[in-house]
Amino acid sequence: MVVPEIRVQAEPFDLAAEVARISVGRQDIGAVVTFTGLCRSENGALAALELEHYPGMAEDELRRVADDAIRRWPLDGVIVIHRYGKLRPGDSIVLVVTASAHRQAAFESANYLMDYLKTRAPFWKKEHASDGSSGDWVAAKQADEQAADRW
Amino acid sequence: MVVPEIRVQAEPFDLAAEVARISVGRQDIGAVVTFTGLCRSENGALAALELEHYPGMAEDELRRVADDAIRRWPLDGVIVIHRYGKLRPGDSIVLVVTASAHRQAAFESANYLMDYLKTRAPFWKKEHASDGSSGDWVAAKQADEQAADRW
Amino acid sequence: MKVLYFAWLRERIGKAEEEVVFPASISTARDAMQHLATQGEEYAYAFENPQIIRIALDRRHVPPETPIGAAREIAFFPPMTGG
Amino acid sequence: MKVLYFAWLRERIGKAEEEVVFPASISTARDAMQHLATQGEEYAYAFENPQIIRIALDRRHVPPETPIGAAREIAFFPPMTGG
């Protein structure tokens, strides 16, 4: 059984190092998919996002989502890293890496992880506007719930 | 209109450098998906894959597939790199990188690119067996045709 | 019992966590939320739309009708917006 | 006209490319393939299952009924197995 690697951290992550961690020295992996989620400026309106999380539960919930993916697809490795704290436009927020012998398993499980992570992992985003006003908490999107429901 | 970056090369590629090329210094990208296809040993039976290609047409066809993806999804960047020559188990064969404001566009277009690239780009794989016998040409899989037909 | 608040619940209530001794009549997570909503204006404001508030018991999502039982930690928060 | 062969077609015919002057009666890509199939044992072997062979005219996939017209390059190859 594959053990997912889960990290919740303030620091940036190194995409290449994470992919190497999952694939170097192995000869059975045919496909590695990565998803990187980044902070967008919303056409300059956004100065920063502040990501709050529930320490402990965030890791637990990411691990539960990853374990679900491992049960559903024949995976050789899963990494999920989610950042917290103040992030600027262009900064990375989340990384999902999946490895499998088969390309569809790698694609689908990465997509599944992102859908479920968005609706289940206890993280909340607050916007800080470029005009200096302290922004609002981002509202959960119904589209995200629907995206998770399709699996 | 986004111009895809297409490369057909014998050399390995650097995942992190390619992702940086597509995303560094930008504030409008919310999602970057990468797909890396690797040579598998088939449980030790395979010593190497030899990848033959049609120079000129390979680049043209990859560009046509990438342009199709750019018409179908709101993409901010597309990179497709396909290697040729003798590749060993664990070596990378192909890289697709897609960037978009939206995560589903990035996921779906990367998946689409891989499906179409497999059925349209003029590359052929010959297997070299670990027992020293010169292997067979890999047969095209009907599953790959069906995967492309779903789009 | 340790009670945690996140995001705008935390901001409205003005604290991230507190220890609460719930009355013996409190049985479910929803009961606990309704009890907290009576603890002052800031609580009433935080819990004004109870149907949108998510609850975790000992760091697991639970529906509001879940008995709090011997749980050591209960958390209240808005729908998640990570990823 | 430049004719290219790839993968096992190249191996069976024993060359990667050649210049061929097709007779005036050759109109489509399929005609060209049928003509080549008569040029010797190795060609007959390479083209023994014409229905699985893919054709490109000037580096674009075409169906066999496509007229070769003024194309400068025609290529024959098995189904692709890249990716």
Side-chain angles (χ1 to χ4, degrees):
Chain A
M1 194 67 174
V2 170
V3 177
E5 179 161 342
I6 307 295
R7 298 212 298 283
V8 174
Q9 62 188 42
E11 302 73 34
F13 47 77
D14 178 340
L15 174 68
E18 302 305 332
V19 170
R21 187 192 304 273
I22 219 169
S23 59
V24 161
R26 298 192 63 159
Q27 307 197 329
D28 51 342
I29 292 176
V32 176
V33 168
T34 74
F35 177 92
T36 305
L38 301 148
C39 177
R40 287 188 291 152
S41 75
E42 308 296 349
N43 295 318
L46 190 83
L49 276 181
E50 192 152 352
L51 267 123
E52 180 169 336
H53 76 296
Y54 183 170
M57 182 173 169
E59 290 85 346
D60 289 353
E61 201 61 31
L62 291 176
R63 187 166 290 107
R64 285 191 275 268
V65 175
D67 285 338
D68 287 348
I70 289 165
R71 274 188 289 272
R72 287 180 73 137
W73 286 277
L75 299 179
D76 296 312
V78 174
I79 298 172
V80 180
I81 303 175
H82 204 304
R83 296 178 67 190
Y84 60 85
K86 203 167 209 172
L87 302 175
R88 307 276 172 189
D91 286 352
S92 57
I93 301 172
V94 62
L95 174 69
V96 162
V97 186
T98 57
S100 176
H102 308 289
R103 81 178 187 281
Q104 279 312 325
F107 267 125
E108 289 177 14
S109 59
N111 203 337
Y112 173 95
L113 283 163
M114 282 306 306
D115 280 351
Y116 271 93
L117 174 163
K118 279 183 109 71
T119 56
R120 282 176 45 179
F123 290 87
W124 301 271
K125 292 192 185 104
K126 186 174 194 170
E127 296 180 336
H128 293 269
S130 296
D131 63 11
S133 67
S134 113
D136 288 323
W137 290 94
V138 173
K141 292 190 192 111
Q142 221 190 337
D144 288 334
E145 289 285 343
Q146 286 162 350
D149 284 346
R150 72 198 161 107
W151 295 100
Chain B
M1 193 69 174
V2 171
V3 177
E5 179 161 340
I6 306 296
R7 297 212 298 283
V8 174
Q9 62 187 45
E11 302 72 35
F13 47 77
D14 178 341
L15 174 68
E18 302 304 330
V19 170
R21 186 192 305 273
I22 218 169
S23 60
V24 162
R26 298 192 61 158
Q27 306 198 331
D28 51 343
I29 292 175
V32 176
V33 168
T34 74
F35 176 92
T36 306
L38 302 148
C39 179
R40 287 187 292 152
S41 74
E42 308 295 350
N43 294 316
L46 189 82
L49 276 181
E50 193 153 350
L51 268 122
E52 181 171 336
H53 77 297
Y54 184 169
M57 181 173 170
E59 291 84 347
D60 289 353
E61 202 60 32
L62 291 175
R63 186 165 290 108
R64 285 191 274 268
V65 175
D67 284 337
D68 287 347
I70 289 164
R71 275 188 288 273
R72 287 181 72 137
W73 285 277
L75 299 179
D76 296 312
V78 174
I79 298 172
V80 181
I81 303 176
H82 204 303
R83 296 178 66 191
Y84 61 85
K86 203 165 206 171
L87 302 175
R88 309 277 171 188
D91 286 350
S92 57
I93 302 172
V94 61
L95 174 68
V96 162
V97 185
T98 57
S100 176
H102 308 289
R103 80 179 187 283
Q104 280 311 324
F107 267 125
E108 289 177 15
S109 58
N111 204 337
Y112 173 94
L113 282 163
M114 281 307 304
D115 279 352
Y116 271 94
L117 173 165
K118 280 183 109 69
T119 56
R120 281 175 44 179
F123 290 86
W124 301 272
K125 291 192 187 104
K126 187 174 192 169
E127 296 180 337
H128 292 271
S130 296
D131 63 12
S133 66
S134 112
D136 288 323
W137 290 94
V138 172
K141 291 191 193 110
Q142 220 189 338
D144 288 335
E145 289 285 343
Q146 287 163 351
D149 285 346
R150 73 199 161 105
W151 296 100
Chain C
M1 189 171 194
K2 188 176 181 181
V3 182
L4 303 176
Y5 310 106
F6 292 97
W8 51 256
L9 271 108
R10 173 181 54 71
E11 290 182 338
R12 290 183 181 188
I13 291 168
K15 56 183 112 171
E17 63 176 88
E18 59 185 321
E19 277 293 325
V20 177
V21 179
F22 289 105
S25 60
I26 299 303
S27 160
T28 67
R30 183 189 286 114
D31 293 344
M33 179 162 60
Q34 286 169 344
H35 173 79
L36 289 165
T38 66
Q39 301 305 299
E41 253 178 39
E42 65 279 28
Y43 289 92
Y45 178 38
F47 291 108
E48 67 182 355
N49 285 312
Q51 70 284 356
I52 64 165
I53 292 173
R54 307 298 181 91
I55 308 170
L57 263 187
D58 284 344
R59 304 184 176 181
R60 279 183 175 269
H61 295 293
V62 294
E65 64 272 19
T66 307
I68 56 176
R72 282 164 305 183
E73 187 172 304
I74 190 166
F76 299 94
F77 42 80
M80 285 74 76
T81 55
Chain D
M1 186 172 196
K2 189 174 180 183
V3 182
L4 303 176
Y5 310 106
F6 291 97
W8 50 257
L9 271 107
R10 173 180 54 70
E11 290 182 338
R12 290 182 182 188
I13 290 168
K15 57 183 111 174
E17 64 176 88
E18 60 185 321
E19 276 293 324
V20 176
V21 179
F22 289 106
S25 61
I26 299 305
S27 159
T28 66
R30 184 190 284 114
D31 293 344
M33 178 161 60
Q34 285 171 347
H35 173 78
L36 289 165
T38 66
Q39 302 304 300
E41 252 179 39
E42 65 277 28
Y43 289 92
Y45 178 38
F47 291 108
E48 66 181 358
N49 286 310
Q51 71 284 354
I52 63 166
I53 292 173
R54 307 298 182 91
I55 308 171
L57 264 186
D58 284 344
R59 304 183 176 181
R60 278 184 176 269
H61 294 294
V62 294
E65 63 273 20
T66 308
I68 56 176
R72 284 165 302 182
E73 187 170 304
I74 189 166
F76 299 94
F77 42 78
M80 285 74 76
T81 55

